[in-house]
Amino acid sequence: DGGITQSPKYLFRKEGQNVTLSCEQNLNHDAMYWYRQDPGQGLRLIYYSQIVNDFQKGDIAEGYSVSREKKESFPLTVTSAQKNPTAFYLCASSTNTNEQFFGPGTRLTVL
Amino acid sequence: KQEVTQIPAALSVPEGENLVLNCSFTDSAIYNLQWFRQDPGKGLTSLLLIQSSQREQTSGRLNASLDKSSGRSTLYIAASQPGDSATYLCAVRPLGAGNNRKLIWGLGTSLAVNP
């Protein structure tokens, strides 16, 4: 089955801790994205990558970091510099016509 | 600056009704527009993608139209069912944004179809 997987489904972080969210796709898409979703707000773009070994900051990149060493994988690290990380995190990839497809999401909670 | 608005924010209808969800955008210079569905606590599911050169797209009971000149798209759902209950989001890809493929998102319409 082709698709996007995210893990874990739920993640708990202590204050001052870095955590990494996994995103893998087997759709052979070049572009991948990380979004953050908060209640009552639209999706906000954190980082995106159009090709392996290249990525750009989105609208709210502060406190986050990414890597794109493989086409299939685009992990997101939430660092201790992110002061309000509790949110639902969504990973997506897109076709050449920019039709975006999403993973099931990771809910991060700060304890 | 491109802005996307979805009205109403919430909608409740009885089962079987045909309904229309609205999406408005402020700049007609778009590459495409995409409609998504999101169930509570889940990721987004792509429903329909309309390229700027197209006027509508259909998939099953769903029909999406695009009128760039008026900055509007509508998602028509025929014979609504309780399983259609979800939040529906639209997003546009602006022209002139280079090749960054960034989307501008609406806040969504929360739909409840009552049995």
Side-chain angles (χ1 to χ4, degrees):
Chain A
D1 283 338
I4 303 173
T5 58
Q6 291 185 241
S7 63
K9 186 174 182 179
Y10 299 98
L11 186 57
F12 299 91
R13 192 192 93 169
K14 295 181 180 178
E15 293 282 350
Q17 214 176 30
N18 292 355
V19 292
T20 297
L21 284 61
S22 170
C23 178
E24 303 277 332
Q25 56 101 358
N26 61 4
L27 300 169
N28 201 34
H29 291 165
D30 286 319
M32 297 187 73
Y33 311 78
W34 274 104
Y35 291 93
R36 170 178 173 145
Q37 188 175 40
D38 296 278
Q41 297 194 42
L43 270 73
R44 292 185 290 171
L45 183 64
I46 304 172
Y47 268 98
Y48 62 102
S49 168
Q50 298 189 81
I51 198 168
V52 174
N53 292 323
D54 183 61
F55 48 83
Q56 288 82 40
K57 293 182 179 180
D59 301 316
I60 55 164
E62 185 176 351
Y64 300 97
S65 66
V66 294
S67 63
R68 186 86 187 275
E69 297 176 1
K70 298 187 301 182
K71 187 175 186 177
E72 301 80 16
S73 178
F74 191 39
L76 173 74
T77 297
V78 184
T79 75
S80 57
Q82 171 49 241
K83 298 307 178 189
N84 185 23
T86 294
F88 190 49
Y89 290 86
L90 289 160
C91 177
S93 67
S94 69
T95 65
N96 289 336
T97 57
N98 203 42
E99 183 172 9
Q100 292 203 4
F101 295 89
F102 281 77
T106 292
R107 186 165 299 280
L108 174 63
T109 302
V110 174
L111 300 175
Chain B
K1 178 185 172 186
Q2 179 72 271
E3 293 183 357
V4 177
T5 303
Q6 292 186 249
I7 295 174
L11 183 63
S12 181
V13 300
E15 181 178 4
E17 210 169 270
N18 301 326
L19 57 99
V20 173
L21 306 181
N22 297 297
C23 175
S24 301
F25 45 96
T26 54
D27 189 339
S28 62
I30 66 170
Y31 186 79
N32 59 34
L33 182 146
Q34 195 169 356
W35 282 94
F36 297 86
R37 166 190 174 136
Q38 185 176 29
D39 294 285
K42 306 290 186 183
L44 278 67
T45 300
S46 177
L47 297 174
L48 291 163
L49 174 74
I50 310 177
Q51 301 294 348
S52 62
S53 58
Q54 297 174 322
R55 296 300 299 269
E56 65 179 332
Q57 284 281 3
T58 298
S59 176
R61 293 183 295 109
L62 305 179
N63 176 277
S65 67
L66 176 64
D67 184 344
K68 285 194 306 178
S69 61
S70 65
R72 294 180 59 186
S73 176
T74 61
L75 180 67
Y76 175 83
I77 303 177
S80 58
Q81 304 170 357
D84 294 328
S85 299
T87 297
Y88 290 80
L89 295 136
C90 73
V92 302
R93 179 184 170 189
L95 278 174
N99 195 32
N100 64 28
R101 307 192 196 183
K102 290 173 64 174
L103 299 183
I104 309 299
W105 292 85
L107 294 181
T109 294
S110 178
L111 172 65
V113 180
N114 305 305

